[in-house]
């Protein structure tokens, strides 16, 4: 599921609910770096992988979040192979990428650097968001980039890029999603979707379509629905 509220107790409550993984959203929230690290610690302390959606495809942001110990990065608005390669370069140490080397929480504050470099970094996932019609057109090229572990469709922004924000039944939006679903099947990479309404039946529908990296709603939505 998705974390948009920055209190570690919320992350712990979510982590105890039975999800496979949790993603901290830095793009559409006011969560800062310090709070992100607290959330990562809370999630990982419960034995779950902590992913972070950064605010943009920015080397400095990605570096700081990885040094905080994130298990994976979700990068928004990747619209080309060049964008995807930039994300890979930000996530991977040399000689594969250009990630700067620091000694923070991820590296055991300097006491676990070699293990982090040689072992733990191999498990870090890079997921790029496909959320613009231009990304749909460039999808094959994006998926061919080594180091991209999967894609995550952004249905709201994708529909917005077609001038139809949130209008899922519009023919152009339906057609774009079909192109995405057809193209990703050619690659052995994660296929992601954010099911926003907290209705598990919608998750099962996405599983049947081949999605295997599904975010189920988010903390504030669960809270708001229950309150109402």
């Amino acid at each position: 599921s998705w974390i948009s509220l920055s209190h570690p107790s919320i992350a712990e409550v979510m982590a105890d609910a039975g999800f496979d993984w949790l993603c901290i959203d830095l793009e559409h929230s006011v969560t800062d770096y310090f709070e992100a690290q607290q959330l990562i610690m809370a999630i990982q302390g419960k034995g779950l992988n902590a992913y972070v959606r950064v605010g943009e495809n920015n080397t400095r942001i990605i570096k700081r979040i990885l040094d905080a110990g994130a298990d994976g990065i979700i990068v928004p608005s990747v619209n080309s192979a060049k964008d995807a390669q930039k994300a890979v370069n930000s996530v991977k140490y040399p000689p594969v990428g250009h990630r700067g080397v620091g000694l923070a929480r991820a590296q055991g504050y300097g006491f676990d650097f070699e293990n982090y470099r040689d072992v733990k970094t191999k498990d870090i996932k890079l997921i790029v968001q496909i959320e613009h019609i231009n990304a749909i057109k460039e999808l094959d090229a994006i998926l061919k980039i080594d180091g991209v572990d999967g894609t995550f469709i952004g249905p709201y922004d994708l529909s917005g890029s077609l001038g139809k924000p949130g209008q899922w039944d519009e023919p152009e939006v339906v057609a774009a999603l079909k192109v995405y679903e057809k193209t990703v099947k050619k690659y052995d990479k994660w296929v992601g979707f954010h099911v926003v309404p907290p209705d598990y039946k919608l998750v099962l529908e996405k599983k049947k379509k081949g999605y295997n990296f599904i975010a189920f709603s988010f903390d504030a939505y669960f809270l708001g629905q229950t309150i109402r």
Side-chain angles (χ1 to χ4, degrees):
S1 188
W2 222 248
I3 301 286
S4 64
L5 304 173
S6 59
H7 199 290
S9 293
I10 293 173
E12 287 193 315
V13 170
M14 294 281 284
D16 280 334
F19 294 105
D20 296 316
W21 52 269
L22 292 172
C23 177
I24 302 156
D25 186 15
L26 298 190
E27 183 183 16
H28 292 291
S29 78
V30 295
T31 302
D32 62 24
Y33 293 107
F34 177 78
E35 291 166 336
Q37 178 165 300
Q38 303 303 302
L39 294 171
I40 291 169
M41 294 168 71
I43 294 166
Q44 291 175 340
K46 293 291 186 176
L48 273 68
N49 281 339
Y51 300 113
V52 178
R53 177 169 71 174
V54 293
E56 62 179 309
N57 193 359
N58 181 297
T59 297
R60 178 174 173 271
I61 294 173
I62 293 172
K63 174 173 58 180
R64 294 184 73 178
I65 292 300
L66 287 175
D67 285 347
D71 295 298
I73 298 289
I74 299 177
V75 180
S77 301
V78 172
N79 297 331
S80 66
K82 182 178 179 181
D83 290 345
Q85 187 62 60
K86 179 182 178 181
V88 171
N89 289 342
S90 299
V91 168
K92 303 292 185 182
Y93 281 137
V96 178
H98 307 311
R99 178 184 171 189
V101 180
L103 302 175
R105 177 177 180 267
Q107 301 85 7
Y109 304 100
F111 298 94
D112 193 41
F113 173 71
E114 288 78 12
N115 180 53
Y116 179 77
R117 178 197 63 201
D118 299 336
V119 180
K120 292 182 180 180
T121 54
K122 291 182 172 64
D123 294 326
I124 292 174
K125 300 298 182 183
L126 170 61
I127 310 297
V128 299
Q129 282 201 254
I130 306 301
E131 48 188 349
H132 196 281
I133 191 60
N134 292 342
I136 297 294
K137 296 174 181 176
E138 296 289 325
L139 189 53
D140 269 305
I142 292 170
L143 285 163
K144 289 177 181 177
I145 297 296
D146 288 336
V148 171
D149 296 295
T151 56
F152 196 92
I153 194 76
Y156 277 97
D157 282 322
L158 176 61
S159 63
S161 75
L162 292 164
K164 311 285 185 179
Q167 299 176 53
W168 317 124
D169 296 330
E170 287 292 324
E172 303 104 306
V173 179
V174 173
L177 284 171
K178 286 183 177 178
V179 171
Y180 173 78
E181 291 169 356
K182 180 179 179 181
T183 304
V184 294
K185 289 179 180 178
K186 298 186 292 183
Y187 301 87
D188 184 23
K189 298 191 176 186
W190 288 1
V191 185
F193 192 97
H194 194 169
V195 173
V196 176
D199 180 354
Y200 76 90
K201 295 175 184 176
L202 299 176
V203 174
L204 299 180
E205 289 177 8
K206 292 303 177 185
K207 287 183 69 176
K208 289 179 181 178
K209 287 190 174 184
Y211 290 91
N212 56 15
F213 186 63
I214 304 171
F216 183 39
S217 200
F218 62 102
D219 49 5
Y221 207 123
F222 285 125
L223 177 64
Q225 185 193 53
T226 303
I227 289 171
R228 281 162 176 78

